[in-house]
Amino acid sequence: MTRDNADRSGRWDGAWVRARVAAMAQEDPERQRFGASGHGYRLRPPLAEETIQLFELRHGVQLPDSYRSFLKDVADGGAGPDYGLVGLMEEVDDEEALYDLREEDRRAGVLSTPFPHTSEWPGPGKEGNANYSAEGSLVISEAGCGMFHRLVITGSNAGQVWFDDPDWGGLTPGPDFRHWYDAWLATT
C-alpha cells in the first residue's frame, strides 16, 4: 500500500500514516514482522513546534523538512523500520545499545558539524575500517546487532538516511527520510 502521503507543502498526512500503521498492526497481530515486538505498531504523540524549535536552537541546526514535518504532523518516534523510530525527545535507557550513540549525538557541536561523507565508507567487512566520523547525523533507528539508521542533519546529504554498520559494512547512503519511511509503510 503506497500513496503520496504529503500535501503540496511537503507536510505529512498524519491521519493517513496513523491509519496505515494501525492496518499494519491488524495484518500482524502476532508481531512477527522484524522489530514489531519492540515498537508494537505504536506511534508516540507528535511534537509541538516550540519543542522542535528548542531542539534546533540548542544544537544550532535546522532539521530536514520531511523529518521535521513527521515529528510535528505524525509522531515523535515509535513504529517504523526495524525496531522503530527513536523519538527526538525520547529518553533512552542506559542499558540499551543505542544509549551511547544518542549521548554522543547530543554533545555540543556534533549535529551542527557538517556530515563529512558523500559516498559509502567501507567498514571492516569491506576491507575498510570502522574509524569514521558520523558527526552531522542523528541516530533515528536501531537495526539490531550494533547497526543503526542515521539521519543526516547537516552537510550536502542532509535529509538522507544512512545505514551505519561499524562492525562490518561501514556507512552506506540511503534514500531521503520520506522515501525511507514510506518504504516501510508499503511493506505487507
Side-chain angles (χ1 to χ4, degrees), residues 21 24 33 39 41 79-82 179-187:
V21 171
M24 293 171 78
R33 185 174 290 128
H39 60 67
Y41 297 105
D82 296 325
H179 288 101
W180 178 77
Y181 196 82
D182 276 343
W184 179 75
L185 289 173
T187 61

Side-chain angles (χ1 to χ4, degrees), residues 54-75:
L54 182 62
F55 180 91
E56 292 174 326
L57 183 63
R58 181 179 302 136
H59 294 283
V61 298
Q62 182 172 357
L63 296 172
D65 290 342
S66 180
Y67 180 65
R68 193 177 200 288
S69 172
F70 187 90
L71 293 171
K72 185 177 174 187
D73 301 322
V74 180

Side-chain angles (χ1 to χ4, degrees), residues 47-56 58 76 88-89:
L47 292 176
E49 175 65 26
E50 296 77 27
T51 303
I52 297 169
Q53 288 176 350
L54 182 62
F55 180 91
E56 292 174 326
R58 181 179 302 136
D76 178 28
L88 184 67
M89 305 308 293

Side-chain angles (χ1 to χ4, degrees), residues 92-94 96-107 139 150:
V92 177
D93 188 304
D94 64 1
E96 293 185 35
L98 191 53
Y99 179 79
D100 289 338
L101 292 175
R102 290 286 287 195
E103 290 298 305
E104 183 178 311
D105 288 349
R106 300 303 197 268
R107 283 192 348 253
V139 172
R150 292 182 163 278

Side-chain angles (χ1 to χ4, degrees), residues 2 9 14 43 67:
T2 61
S9 69
L43 290 168
Y67 180 65

Side-chain angles (χ1 to χ4, degrees), residues 124-138:
K126 296 180 178 178
E127 298 185 20
N129 65 60
N131 187 23
Y132 53 84
S133 170
E135 290 181 323
S137 70
L138 178 67

